[in-house]
């Protein structure tokens, strides 16, 4: 019988590897519906021996840094993310709003492959650098890109209720939880 002796850093790395192995069981190109399965107690029969050795010695199952990372991967309504302290500021609401809006617009596309492609396009376009232009010129808009037009034509334009609901939810959460903060741009 061999005894595993590991320093805390090795235990944290082993626990992170355990979480990574558990996440592999979820479908790719998707989100976690819940963190319960991923953060379940370490099983000495299934999980890494270093991770189980740390759990036996009374170390917490997973360190807070790993728990926070897993919780950030969970898809949940904005209100729940704010209450769970996954989103902790008005600026964070503003940073996730484009992703929420692109998901709402993507729901208007019937084809799942085209929906994923739209989500990637919207995400990439939202990350682009902003420029200060002269003479009231404007930056290129996504609908002006020739390769985006066929994809955008799949969106049902009359289905904007979801987008309005997303914006209303974001504004309500912002005002309810961060009324003292200046509204982010």
């Amino acid at each position: 019988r061999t005894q595993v002796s590991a320093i805390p850093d090795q235990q944290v790395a082993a626990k992170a590897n355990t979480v990574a192995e558990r996440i592999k069981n979820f479908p790719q190109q998707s989100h976690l519906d819940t963190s319960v399965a991923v953060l379940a107690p370490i099983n000495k029969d299934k999980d890494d021996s270093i991770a189980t050795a740390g759990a036996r010695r009374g170390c917490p199952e997973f360190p807070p840094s790993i728990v926070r990372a897993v919780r950030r991967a969970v898809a949940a309504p904005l209100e729940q993310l704010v209450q769970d302290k996954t989103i902790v500021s008005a600026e964070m609401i503003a940073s996730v709003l484009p992703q929420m809006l692109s998901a709402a617009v993507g729901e208007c596309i019937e084809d799942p492959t085209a929906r994923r492609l739209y989500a990637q396009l919207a995400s990439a376009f939202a990350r682009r650098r902003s420029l200060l232009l002269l003479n009231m010129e404007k930056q290129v808009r996504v609908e002006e890109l020739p390769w985006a037009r066929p994809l955008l034509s799949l969106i049902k334009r009359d289905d904007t209720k979801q987008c309005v609901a997303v914006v209303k939810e974001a504004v309500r959460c912002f005002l309810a939880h961060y009324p003292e903060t200046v509204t982010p741009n």
Side-chain angles (χ1 to χ4, degrees), residues 161-179:
K161 291 178 185 174
Q162 291 174 323
C163 295
V164 171
V166 166
V167 172
K168 282 182 178 180
E169 179 186 8
V171 169
R172 189 187 53 68
C173 277
F174 170 74
L175 293 174
H177 297 281
Y178 310 106

Side-chain angles (χ1 to χ4, degrees), residues 94-109 114-127 142 151-152 155 159 162-164 166-167:
S95 69
V96 299
L97 188 58
Q99 182 181 0
M100 293 169 57
L101 283 171
S102 67
V105 171
E107 291 298 317
C108 300
I109 300 174
R115 189 179 307 135
R116 277 195 310 274
L117 183 60
Y118 175 78
Q120 291 175 353
L121 172 68
S123 175
F125 203 77
R127 283 192 313 264
V142 71
L151 184 61
L152 295 174
I155 298 172
D159 217 354
Q162 291 174 323
C163 295
V164 171
V166 166
V167 172

Side-chain angles (χ1 to χ4, degrees), residues 22 35 41 77 79 92 104 122 134 142 145 152 161 168 178-179 184:
R22 291 177 179 181
S35 62
E79 180 67 32
M92 287 183 77
L134 302 175
V142 71
L145 300 173
L152 295 174
K161 291 178 185 174
K168 282 182 178 180
Y178 310 106

